[in-house]
Amino acid sequence: MRKITFVINGRKIETNERNTILRASLAHGIYIPHLCDHPDLTPFGGCRLCVVEIEGRGLTISCKAPVEEGLVVQTETPVINKVRRIAAELLIVNHHAECLQCVRNTECKLQDIAAYIGIEADHLQRLRQTAGDHPIDNSNPFFIRNPNKCVLCGICVRTCEEINGVRVLDFAFRGYETKISTLMNKPINESVCESCGECVVRCPTGALIIKDYQRPDRVVTTICPYCGTGCGIQLGVRGNKVVSVRGDRDNPINKGQLCVKGRFGYHFIDHPDRLTTPLIKRNGAFVKASWDKALELVATKFKEAQDRYGPEALAGLSSARITNEENYLFQKLLRCLGTNSIDHCARL
Amino acid sequence: MVGLATVLGSGAMTNTIAEITGADVIFVTGSNTTENHPIIGYRIREAVRKGAKLIVADPRVIPLAKIATLHLQFKPGTDVALFNGLVHVIIKEGLEDKDYVKKRTQGFEYLSSMVEKYTPEYVALITGVSAEDIVRAARLFAVGKSGSIIYCMGVTQHTCGTENVVALTNLSLLTGNLGIPHAGMNPLRGQNNVQGACDMGCLPNVFPGYQPVYGDRDTGTYWRRLKLEKDKSLQPAEEVDPSKLITDSIEFERPVYKGMSVSDEIRAKFSKAWKVELSDLPGRTIAEMFHHNPSRRNRVMYIVGENPVLSNPDTDHVRRCLEEMDFVVVQDIFLTETAQLADVVLPAASFAEKDGTFTNTERRVQRVRQAIKPKGESKADWEIIQELARRCGLDWHYSSPQEIWDEIRILTPHYFLGMSYERLETGGLQWPCPAVEHPGTAILHKDKFARGIGQFSTVEYRRLAADVVDKEYPFILTTGRKLYQYHTRTMTAKTDGLNRLLEEELMAINPQDAERLGLNAHDIAKITSRRGSIVSKIEITDQVLPGVVCMSFHFAETAVNVLSDPAVCNMSVVSGLKVAAVRIEKACEVQK
Ligand code: SF4
Ligand code: SF4
């Protein structure tokens, strides 16, 4: 790919052709406020916050403007600030801003923008319409859609179409009435939604949020326990409990994307039904036992049977869910005990 | 996945998941990808958005069928006929990759004469797919620069599963799609570490890295090459450095050895490394562990992380077998249906509570990392196995999974030698990776196959391959999986939301059939096969053809495997889970 050089705020920047001005400057640490642009998605040009001035051409939205050799770009001028402020105020005015109760608090893009541009409460008050109270869609078991916090950036619409490929969501109605909606404006669980949550993780505000979300205190990168795709996941841990899963953006397979099982199917880890002690069956019922007792019993029984019927009396079924190292040890154990009767259910 | 191994080698994908988006044509069969391997489903949809042609060959109207260029809705169990029909058209119209066929394959003449009779009209009669669609599909697939074949259990879980894969491989070879980017034969493995379990030798006849334990079946060219090398130089085994013999790919064939066999040497190598004299007696496969003749079964059984009571065909039989055994120990994270039958249950740590590696369906080994402490007194499986080994008198002292992994690398150098934990840290590596400077292998069979030559195999459609439909059992039951549940639900049932999205089994039945049987939307049907019967709620949908019904095997309440056919594929021992002949009746009427 060809390299392009252009100037932004007096700084020379080299970037790939076909990049946009917005993404090139963000990559070089120059912040331009923006809301509807997302690195995974095609540029949309909806929020108009990313306006910049190109010498000789005037104002333009930088998320849609491709870089060109020798362009001279300004991101901060009185005109830009004025335009930007209007754009921001229009976005914020209809937003139900109860930031402290919002799970997106401190991770909200709208807050970033308000902080950067500096919104005047007075002015906002004058603008404020009686923001309509839209019903909240609670129908999906894993996430909530709150249209009252929606800024119509369309990121969820593009995500569903470009990432997952389902097309559940779209813009509906016109003008002031515009909102994001499912087909026929039905609750999302009656749509073709696959509950992948991709739209939720990309939503810049609190309009799409995970139910019962708990913020983790650390993350651990590992692999999804479900299917053979082997997506990279990051387990969010709080204390000794897994409280969230997000896709690992550095993983070459899923590039941060996940399906419903990978993202939301982690509750088995901490489920009360988990086995926590060895069990030995006595008269048809299980009783708790120590590791010592249980393992001793197993070893004795293996030996008894093998002494009596030969080593082939023992067979083992291994698991497609344990690690390579564990599978290796499992077959090593059985073969060392003299039997090659080892299989797993993967044939099925 | 013996099928693919028979022709090409291991049962893993020949290409990578990321390549799918760049394919010209994608042929999906026996895989409901968007529900069972959703991220791979995203890639297929992305490819279609970018203009790839998609051919879906599936008895059901799976979601991908709706965006497909062409959907071949064939009758369950007629896969071989369909694939042979496609091969017929390609050869007839001269659309094969002639250069590739000449340079890289053999057996083309046999193949051409075998498929002679599989004319579109004849195949249409067998499969129920129109002759025009068969011709169209063949042209679509052959004309594309790169054609990726993606398949799953729908293809392998048949009494003729191996033949299905062989027939598919012909299609791929014929069109020159093996060894090039965005193409290949891509089996999708169901559970997250099935590939790893196979690679690690959890099969009776092979040690880790598919090194033969006995009989020299399923042996690789590598082993033959090793042997030839030795014969030539008459050097003892130790002096041949295995990693030197490796090029960039590993393929397998089935050479027949006489006299001193490679497996003897392999066994000697492992005996030495493990400090035990290892047995050369053939072990039992899973089907043989649950043999219908009790005297042929083993007496004690050690089961780790599997729930064969639900996942195996003929559930009642498996239950009985386990009850009849002298002693059963089950190691799992939950008290599964299988664990309930055990004499001793050992609590294992979950994936989030231990370190190690998993290998995905594209052969990528990736690091699993411990996030939290094991729950209660549970322990990582490797620790439990080690403690048990010690009590059985073995002198094991592994202090970490990494130590175990390094032992694996040394004993399986042609696959894993280059994969240190350090190198696996980001993104993992795809085997074979035989040296620390080796980048891993994205595409198998790049320059040549095992013998330098890809072999066409001839497989005929066998009507008897499937459980036969007759007057008494007029319906074909096939099994599938659903997006919101996984396997036997040991894990998914623990997430309430997933239960809400799919609460219970619904047997899919065509509206015509439902009407004829007087079944309404909320009725409960009784489904009877030659082996047993169960009841299930129904879903009336034209996703299935008339004469076909479909159920999943996720729910214990409707254990569909009670019904399914335990007749095993004689080559790979995969049970014929996918097809059974059944009778449907109304069990009770439910008013709503
Ligand atoms: S959860 Fe996934 S499928 Fe559902 S609307 Fe969001 S992106 Fe689309
Ligand atoms: S996130 Fe979904 S597609 Fe990825 S490995 Fe997990 S179950 Fe499979």
Side-chain angles (χ1 to χ4, degrees):
Chain A
M1 213 177 273
R2 221 156 51 89
K3 292 279 176 199
I4 299 263
T5 314
F6 73 106
V7 178
I8 185 159
N9 295 349
R11 245 177 83 188
K12 246 197 194 146
I13 284 183
E14 199 191 63
T15 182
N16 288 331
E17 64 173 340
R18 275 190 298 203
N19 208 351
T20 60
I21 292 177
L22 174 64
R23 290 186 193 177
S25 39
L26 289 174
H28 283 81
I30 301 169
Y31 180 67
I32 300 176
H34 63 282
L35 199 61
C36 71
D37 197 63
H38 192 284
D40 300 342
L41 308 171
T42 47
F44 176 58
C47 72
R48 318 193 79 79
L49 286 168
C50 66
V51 26
V52 294
E53 197 171 328
I54 301 178
E55 218 175 81
R57 295 192 200 170
L59 293 186
T60 184
I61 348 180
S62 62
C63 71
K64 287 272 225 181
V67 291
E68 284 170 47
E69 193 63 46
L71 282 186
V72 178
V73 181
Q74 288 295 333
T75 71
E76 283 285 321
T77 66
V79 191
I80 292 175
N81 281 336
K82 199 165 162 196
V83 174
R84 209 180 255 161
R85 179 181 303 260
I86 295 168
E89 282 175 352
L90 285 174
L91 283 174
I92 293 167
V93 76
N94 286 323
H95 183 84
H96 284 196
E98 309 117 343
C99 293
L100 285 182
Q101 295 112 285
C102 182
V103 298
R104 208 60 90 177
N105 193 18
T106 75
E107 288 169 358
C108 172
K109 283 270 201 78
L110 198 57
Q111 285 179 336
D112 293 350
I113 285 154
Y116 183 84
I117 296 173
I119 302 296
E120 290 159 26
D122 266 15
H123 192 215
L124 210 56
Q125 218 55 61
R126 258 178 285 133
L127 276 176
R128 193 171 295 272
Q129 331 236 356
T130 37
D133 241 338
H134 293 289
I136 291 174
D137 184 353
N138 240 322
S139 65
N140 186 286
F142 302 113
F143 58 83
I144 296 169
R145 290 177 65 226
N146 182 353
N148 304 307
K149 299 206 174 186
C150 175
V151 290
L152 300 177
C153 67
I155 285 181
C156 58
V157 176
R158 277 173 289 150
T159 297
C160 194
E161 172 163 359
E162 295 176 23
I163 302 290
N164 179 320
V166 200
R167 299 194 193 178
V168 172
L169 302 167
D170 206 347
F171 288 91
F173 312 107
R174 298 253 154 185
Y176 186 68
E177 296 294 314
T178 306
K179 63 179 239 170
I180 305 289
S181 159
T182 59
L183 189 68
M184 314 293 291
N185 205 8
K186 288 218 174 108
I188 196 150
N189 72 333
E190 290 171 33
S191 73
V192 291
C193 170
E194 295 176 351
S195 305
C196 68
E198 287 295 324
C199 56
V200 182
V201 294
R202 284 185 184 72
C203 177
T205 72
L208 280 164
I209 54 169
I210 291 179
K211 281 186 181 169
D212 306 321
Y213 179 74
Q214 277 187 288
R215 212 172 277 187
D217 54 42
R218 64 199 164 94
V219 294
V220 178
T221 305
T222 185
I223 305 302
C224 174
Y226 286 102
C227 83
T229 306
C231 296
I233 59 174
Q234 292 185 317
L235 296 177
V237 183
R238 190 158 166 154
N240 198 44
K241 195 174 162 189
V242 174
V243 294
S244 71
V245 175
R246 64 173 192 227
D248 174 8
R249 292 186 69 92
D250 293 329
N251 186 286
I253 300 156
N254 58 316
K255 304 183 181 104
Q257 302 158 14
L258 293 176
C259 77
V260 58
K261 279 174 282 212
R263 189 182 307 283
F264 298 116
Y266 60 87
H267 293 95
F268 75 91
I269 300 171
D270 196 47
H271 197 275
D273 287 355
R274 277 283 302 276
L275 290 165
T276 53
T277 58
L279 303 172
I280 296 178
K281 202 177 260 167
R282 294 243 164 76
N283 308 321
F286 283 118
V287 288
K288 290 189 174 168
S290 69
W291 274 106
D292 254 351
K293 274 233 172 65
L295 288 170
E296 203 49 56
L297 179 61
V298 176
T300 317
K301 289 288 181 181
F302 281 6
K303 190 163 183 319
E304 267 175 28
Q306 291 191 304
D307 284 350
R308 191 151 159 219
Y309 306 104
E312 282 298 314
L314 171 65
L317 275 182
S318 186
S319 172
R321 287 200 285 276
I322 61 175
T323 63
N324 288 330
E325 291 77 359
E326 292 163 340
N327 272 302
Y328 170 81
L329 280 197
F330 183 80
Q331 57 92 38
K332 176 172 174 180
L333 171 63
L334 283 145
R335 294 194 208 274
C336 286
L337 294 179
T339 176
N340 285 316
S341 296
I342 301 143
D343 209 340
H344 60 96
C345 291
R347 291 173 184 279
L348 297 168
Chain B
M1 298 226 174
V2 177
L4 191 54
T6 311
V7 194
L8 303 169
S10 81
M13 289 173 72
T14 59
N15 290 57
T16 55
I17 292 166
E19 285 170 57
I20 295 171
T21 47
D24 267 358
V25 201
I26 303 174
F27 185 94
V28 177
T29 183
S31 156
N32 186 0
T33 327
T34 54
E35 299 207 23
N36 300 331
H37 297 88
I39 294 297
I40 299 179
Y42 297 4
R43 300 290 172 267
I44 297 175
R45 288 181 186 145
E46 192 182 333
V48 170
R49 271 200 310 283
K50 284 178 156 175
K53 303 277 186 292
L54 173 65
I55 305 170
V56 172
D58 201 292
R60 294 184 296 156
V61 187
I62 56 170
L64 278 182
K66 294 183 190 136
I67 57 161
T69 319
L70 198 57
H71 177 206
L72 310 174
Q73 199 172 8
F74 63 91
K75 288 192 199 131
T78 62
D79 319 48
V80 171
L82 180 68
F83 305 152
N84 281 349
L86 298 175
V87 168
H88 172 101
V89 176
I90 291 172
I91 296 180
K92 189 107 213 161
E93 305 198 352
L95 297 174
E96 73 272 15
D97 185 336
K98 297 200 178 64
D99 197 43
Y100 185 95
V101 167
K102 197 165 123 211
K103 286 201 186 115
R104 297 198 53 183
T105 70
Q106 70 185 22
F108 178 71
E109 293 71 32
Y110 292 111
L111 182 71
S112 327
S113 62
M114 191 271 296
V115 297
E116 189 69 40
K117 69 168 179 283
Y118 290 90
T119 61
E121 293 70 29
Y122 174 63
V123 173
L125 224 59
I126 300 172
T127 60
V129 178
S130 75
E132 299 79 68
D133 278 355
I134 293 167
V135 174
R136 258 185 80 202
R139 288 181 189 154
L140 267 179
F141 190 75
V143 167
K145 265 204 297 297
S146 54
S148 176
I149 296 181
I150 295 174
Y151 64 96
C152 189
M153 315 256 273
V155 165
T156 52
Q157 256 181 16
H158 277 295
T159 46
C160 52
T162 306
E163 284 133 289
N164 289 346
V165 178
V166 169
L168 260 185
T169 309
N170 285 339
L171 187 62
S172 189
L173 267 180
L174 190 64
T175 46
N177 275 311
L178 283 164
I180 64 167
H182 313 298
M185 286 284 286
N186 300 302
L188 306 183
R189 314 220 67 169
Q191 301 181 55
N192 74 335
N193 203 28
V194 182
Q195 190 61 47
C198 296
D199 295 349
M200 290 303 119
C202 283
L203 290 165
N205 58 335
V206 288
F207 287 112
Y210 306 95
Q211 305 178 71
V213 179
Y214 48 78
D216 288 326
R217 289 184 290 122
D218 293 324
T219 49
T221 349
Y222 162 67
W223 305 112
R224 189 163 76 157
R225 267 190 272 159
L226 183 64
K227 178 91 168 93
L228 293 177
E229 200 80 2
K230 271 179 34 201
D231 287 349
K232 239 191 329 201
S233 57
L234 293 169
Q235 282 169 342
E238 306 78 70
E239 290 183 29
V240 181
D241 176 5
S243 59
K244 292 235 171 67
L245 295 170
I246 298 302
T247 54
D248 68 337
S249 65
I250 292 179
E251 292 99 19
F252 301 89
E253 59 184 56
R254 293 162 170 260
V256 182
Y257 293 105
K258 296 199 180 67
M260 171 72 171
S261 83
V262 171
S263 67
D264 293 339
E265 287 157 26
I266 302 289
R267 239 179 12 260
K269 167 173 117 176
F270 278 93
S271 295
K272 195 169 153 211
W274 293 350
K275 306 192 187 75
V276 200
E277 194 51 50
L278 292 168
S279 159
D280 64 349
L281 280 178
R284 295 180 177 87
T285 62
I286 182 167
E288 288 157 342
M289 293 175 197
F290 302 121
H291 201 279
H292 60 85
N293 177 355
S295 66
R296 300 273 296 274
R297 291 179 215 144
N298 44 287
R299 312 297 290 239
V300 282
M301 186 121 176
Y302 183 12
I303 302 174
V304 176
E306 287 287 5
N307 193 6
V309 166
L310 280 199
S311 64
N312 263 46
D314 208 347
T315 299
D316 284 347
H317 173 71
V318 172
R319 192 181 289 273
R320 223 173 307 120
C321 290
L322 288 173
E323 280 164 0
E324 283 168 15
M325 273 176 203
D326 292 4
F327 186 78
V328 176
V329 48
V330 173
Q331 181 170 317
D332 210 321
I333 61 174
F334 290 112
L335 198 63
T336 61
E337 289 75 6
T338 304
Q340 282 163 21
L341 300 175
D343 297 288
V344 170
V345 178
L346 304 174
S350 76
F351 82 106
E353 297 152 6
K354 61 189 179 188
D355 281 296
T357 55
F358 283 152
T359 307
N360 81 345
T361 193
E362 52 161 18
R363 298 170 276 112
R364 189 183 298 278
V365 180
Q366 303 189 93
R367 279 281 277 113
V368 176
R369 293 182 188 82
Q370 179 168 5
I372 54 173
K373 289 198 300 286
K375 182 133 171 134
E377 287 175 39
S378 68
K379 291 184 190 196
D381 292 278
W382 68 269
E383 290 178 281
I384 305 175
I385 298 168
Q386 162 151 289
E387 284 180 28
L388 184 56
R390 287 209 197 130
R391 276 166 213 267
C392 292
L394 299 163
D395 186 26
W396 289 9
H397 299 283
Y398 299 105
S399 61
S400 69
Q402 182 166 10
E403 219 178 298
I404 306 170
W405 181 248
D406 287 337
E407 177 175 318
I408 298 167
R409 288 169 60 207
I410 289 164
L411 289 170
T412 319
H414 47 304
Y415 278 80
F416 304 114
L417 188 64
M419 294 185 184
S420 61
Y421 263 30
E422 228 169 26
R423 287 190 75 199
L424 294 177
E425 206 42 49
T426 42
L429 285 165
Q430 286 174 283
W431 63 248
C433 179
V436 280
E437 57 284 348
H438 192 287
T441 309
I443 303 175
L444 293 181
H445 318 297
K446 227 173 169 165
D447 302 311
K448 58 179 166 70
F449 298 104
R451 291 160 282 191
I453 285 281
Q455 175 72 46
F456 285 113
S457 315
T458 52
V459 279
E460 297 271 9
Y461 165 66
R462 293 185 288 142
R463 193 177 300 277
L464 285 176
D467 194 18
V468 198
V469 174
D470 58 19
K471 268 218 187 83
E472 207 179 334
Y473 301 98
F475 282 91
I476 307 174
L477 167 77
T478 81
T479 56
R481 295 169 175 223
K482 302 256 165 80
L483 172 65
Y484 295 112
Q485 298 292 351
Y486 172 78
H487 212 60
T488 62
R489 286 175 76 236
T490 316
M491 282 147 56
T492 43
K494 307 296 186 295
T495 296
D496 289 339
L498 292 172
N499 287 334
R500 272 184 51 200
L501 289 169
L502 181 70
E503 287 165 23
E504 59 195 347
E505 179 68 58
L506 293 172
M507 179 191 76
I509 183 167
N510 187 279
Q512 289 177 27
D513 292 331
E515 201 189 316
R516 208 159 37 77
L517 295 171
L519 286 167
N520 295 313
H522 301 286
D523 288 350
I524 292 174
K526 180 173 171 207
I527 305 119
T528 311
S529 81
R530 295 189 175 91
R531 283 156 296 276
S533 71
I534 57 173
V535 290
S536 170
K537 289 201 180 174
I538 61 166
E539 179 188 11
I540 301 176
T541 165
D542 48 20
Q543 288 192 5
V544 291
L545 289 170
V548 178
V549 291
C550 179
M551 296 180 79
S552 75
F553 67 107
H554 299 303
F555 293 91
E557 300 82 42
T558 51
V560 59
N561 291 344
V562 169
L563 303 176
S564 46
D565 181 7
V568 290
C569 166
N570 48 11
M571 281 154 99
S572 76
V573 213
V574 177
S575 306
L577 263 188
K578 278 283 163 182
V579 181
V582 294
R583 174 171 71 228
I584 313 272
E585 292 145 311
K586 186 187 276 200
C588 63
E589 202 154 323
V590 179
Q591 300 292 335
K592 195 177 177 186

